[in-house]
Amino acid sequence: MGFEALSVNSQISAVKGILTDKKSNKSINLNQLLLKNIEISYSGVDIEGYIIIDDIADINNALELGSDVEIQLYFKDLFQKEYYRTFIITGKNTIKQGNKTLLQYSIRDIISYKLDNIFKAKSYNSVKISDIFREFLQEVNEYITKDKLKINIEQSKERSLYSVNPSVSFLDFITNDLEREGFIVYQTRDSINVKSARNLKVSNLSKQKYRYIDKTNNTFYQYKIFEYKQLNSSNRFQPKTICLVYNPATKTIDKFQQNLSDISSDIQISKSTPKAQETSGVRYTTKEYLDDDSLYADTFKNFVRESGLEIIVSGDFTQSNQYNIIELKISGNINVKESQDKGDTSLSGNYIILKVVDKIVSGSTFIQKLILGRL
C-alpha cells in the first residue's frame, strides 16, 4: 500500500510555494494544482526531499538552476496547524508524460545547507560548544526569522580551549563534537534543537493524546495505521561495555561503564521487550576522551533503534514530531480470542518517533511514514 494509501482523513488543507532566483530576483508562485508530489524527510540535522511540479508556466526556462534558487513551502493540515520552510534546490530532473512536462527538484533545507558550506577557523579560550552553535546560527538568522523557527539549545559543558577546524564543514564539525558530549542535534518542521540525551528520557518527552490503531470501524478516525513493518527485530543489543579513555587533563586512564540496566528507569523499557545484554562478562573498548554523557547517549540511541516499527498513517503536524512519544495498538491474531482482546502485545505499546517522512500526492493527499523506536 505504501504512501498511496487513501483515506478521508488523508488530506492536506493547503500547500503552496514560492520559487525565487536570488541572483535575478525573479519569483514564481506555485499553487496547489502545480505542486503534484512532495516528499520531505526529517531524521536529524538535515531536512531533505523532493518536489514534482507541473511545468505549465515553463519554469524550466524561467529560472536558472543553481545555489541561488530557493523555494519556500507553506503547509496547513486538517487541524489548521501550519508552517513554512525554505529549501535550496540541489538537483533537477525533467519528466515527460505525453504532452505534459513535470519537473522534479531535489531539495534540502536552507539552514543545514548554509551551515554545511561554512569553512572557518576560529579559536576560543573559554567557551561552551552549544554557544558556538548558537553563534554560527546568526549566519542563517534571515531564514530562521522568515520561517518563524524556534531555537531550542541546551547548554553544554564549558571548555577551556577549543578550536573550530575548517578541514570539514562547520555543520559536520560542531554536530560531531556535540554528539561526543552526549547531545542530539536535529530539526523538526518548526524548530532547531540541541538536546542532551539525558533530557530526552521518557518522563521529559511529550506523550501525544491520540493512540494509533490498525483496526477500527470509524472511517473518520485520524490516527489509523494503514500499514506497518517491523524493523530490526533480532533484539540483539550491544553487550555490557567498559570504556577506557585517556584523560589529558589528569594524564590518567578513566573508566566509564554505561549499560541498559543503568538507564532502564529513564527510558522505561517495555515489559514486552525481550531481555537484553544477557552476555557473560563485560566487553572492554577504548575511545578518545569522552564522559558518561556520551556513553549514555550512545546506549540510549542504540536501544531505541534496535527494535522499531515503520508505520504509514494519515498526515498530521501536531503529533508527528521527532522525539514525541506515541502509543500504538496493533490487533492480535484473528483466530485466537484472547489475542483479539489484548491485541499484539509484542508490538503494541509506547514508541518514540525517530524519523518523519511527509508525503503529499497529487497536491492534496497527505500521508506520513513514521519510523519508531521501541520503549
Side-chain angles (χ1 to χ4, degrees):
M1 183 184 298
F3 276 123
E4 275 60 47
L6 299 177
S7 163
V8 291
N9 302 309
S10 303
Q11 300 293 316
I12 190 80
S13 179
V15 58
K16 59 184 179 181
I18 302 176
L19 264 173
T20 303
D21 185 334
K22 301 285 282 189
K23 186 183 293 185
S24 66
N25 260 344
K26 291 181 181 178
S27 294
I28 296 177
N29 291 319
L30 304 172
N31 61 34
Q32 198 158 341
L33 294 176
L34 295 178
L35 291 166
K36 293 301 183 182
N37 289 352
I38 302 174
E39 180 172 314
I40 304 175
S41 175
Y42 307 82
S43 61
V45 70
D46 298 333
I47 304 173
E48 296 181 303
Y50 68 84
I51 60 172
I52 295 179
I53 302 169
D54 191 341
D55 193 24
I56 60 174
D58 198 21
I59 298 169
N60 202 19
N61 294 315
L63 298 177
E64 294 181 7
L65 179 64
S67 59
D68 293 314
V69 179
E70 300 172 359
I71 179 167
Q72 186 188 44
L73 295 174
Y74 165 79
F75 303 92
K76 182 164 67 173
D77 68 9
L78 291 178
F79 301 97
Q80 307 307 300
K81 178 81 172 177
E82 58 185 2
Y83 79 98
Y84 294 87
R85 264 291 183 167
T86 301
F87 297 86
I88 197 83
I89 292 177
T90 59
K92 181 186 73 172
N93 288 315
T94 301
I95 304 169
K96 292 293 290 185
Q97 292 183 350
N99 295 325
K100 182 181 293 187
T101 300
L102 301 177
L103 301 178
Q104 178 171 319
Y105 289 131
S106 298
I107 57 175
R108 180 180 179 185
D109 74 283
I110 196 75
I111 302 295
S112 71
Y113 176 84
K114 293 286 188 182
L115 295 180
D116 204 21
N117 282 278
I118 295 175
F119 296 84
K120 289 183 179 179
K122 193 167 184 180
S123 297
Y124 302 83
N125 289 325
S126 181
V127 71
K128 298 174 181 177
I129 302 179
S130 55
D131 289 341
I132 299 175
F133 187 82
R134 191 183 292 275
E135 174 190 329
F136 273 75
L137 282 180
Q138 294 302 311
E139 303 269 355
V140 290
N141 190 59
E142 169 194 351
Y143 299 100
I144 292 172
T145 302
K146 180 180 178 181
D147 292 342
K148 303 176 183 178
L149 300 180
K150 299 187 287 289
I151 308 298
N152 305 310
I153 300 178
E154 296 179 355
Q155 291 292 300
S156 61
K157 296 175 181 176
E158 190 164 297
R159 292 195 182 191
S160 56
L161 293 172
Y162 188 78
S163 296
V164 175
N165 189 335
S167 62
V168 295
S169 75
F170 168 76
L171 184 67
D172 287 341
F173 187 83
I174 206 72
T175 52
N176 286 340
D177 264 15
L178 282 166
E179 287 175 359
R180 283 207 297 267
E181 286 198 11
F183 287 83
I184 296 175
V185 185
Y186 64 98
Q187 292 193 76
T188 65
R189 299 180 189 90
D190 62 358
S191 66
I192 302 169
N193 306 275
V194 177
K195 297 286 186 73
S196 168
R198 289 191 180 277
N199 293 332
L200 290 174
K201 60 186 181 182
V202 172
S203 58
N204 288 347
L205 299 178
S206 174
K207 182 172 180 180
Q208 300 309 294
K209 180 177 179 182
Y210 299 103
R211 182 168 60 176
Y212 289 88
I213 57 178
D214 68 331
K215 295 289 178 62
T216 176
N217 293 324
N218 182 358
T219 57
F220 294 98
Y221 189 70
Q222 178 70 27
Y223 302 100
K224 183 181 186 297
I225 300 170
F226 297 127
E227 187 176 284
Y228 66 86
K229 179 172 68 176
Q230 195 168 6
L231 306 174
N232 301 322
S233 57
S234 64
N235 294 307
R236 296 184 63 185
F237 300 93
Q238 291 187 356
K240 293 180 180 180
T241 301
I242 290 177
C243 188
L244 301 176
V245 293
Y246 176 71
N247 187 333
T250 63
K251 296 182 179 180
T252 60
I253 297 295
D254 288 347
K255 182 170 71 172
F256 296 108
Q257 181 172 353
Q258 186 79 75
N259 298 300
L260 276 179
S261 58
D262 302 319
I263 67 173
S264 59
S265 61
D266 287 347
I267 61 177
Q268 296 180 16
I269 295 175
S270 170
K271 292 179 180 178
S272 63
T273 300
K275 292 181 180 179
Q277 294 186 309
E278 291 184 328
T279 51
S280 176
V282 179
R283 182 185 68 171
Y284 278 77
T285 187
T286 59
K287 287 186 179 180
E288 62 181 312
Y289 193 76
L290 74 169
D291 56 28
D292 57 350
D293 286 339
S294 178
L295 287 175
Y296 181 99
D298 285 345
T299 306
F300 172 84
K301 288 186 288 186
N302 287 334
F303 173 75
V304 296
R305 290 170 182 168
E306 275 297 328
S307 181
L309 208 65
E310 173 186 299
I311 62 173
I312 305 295
V313 296
S314 294
D316 159 61
F317 295 146
T318 303
Q319 293 210 149
S320 59
N321 273 322
Q322 288 167 267
Y323 296 100
N324 278 350
I325 302 295
I326 59 173
E327 183 183 357
L328 269 58
K329 175 67 179 297
I330 304 296
S331 56
N333 191 317
I334 60 173
N335 298 313
V336 181
K337 186 179 187 308
E338 183 179 0
S339 181
Q340 290 182 50
D341 295 337
K342 292 183 178 181
D344 187 331
T345 56
S346 66
L347 294 180
S348 300
N350 291 330
Y351 288 81
I352 186 170
I353 299 176
L354 300 176
K355 178 179 179 179
V356 180
V357 181
D358 291 340
K359 176 90 171 183
I360 296 172
V361 182
S362 302
S364 59
T365 301
F366 182 22
I367 303 293
Q368 287 176 324
K369 176 167 69 178
L370 305 181
I371 306 298
L372 313 174
R374 188 71 158 110
L375 293 175

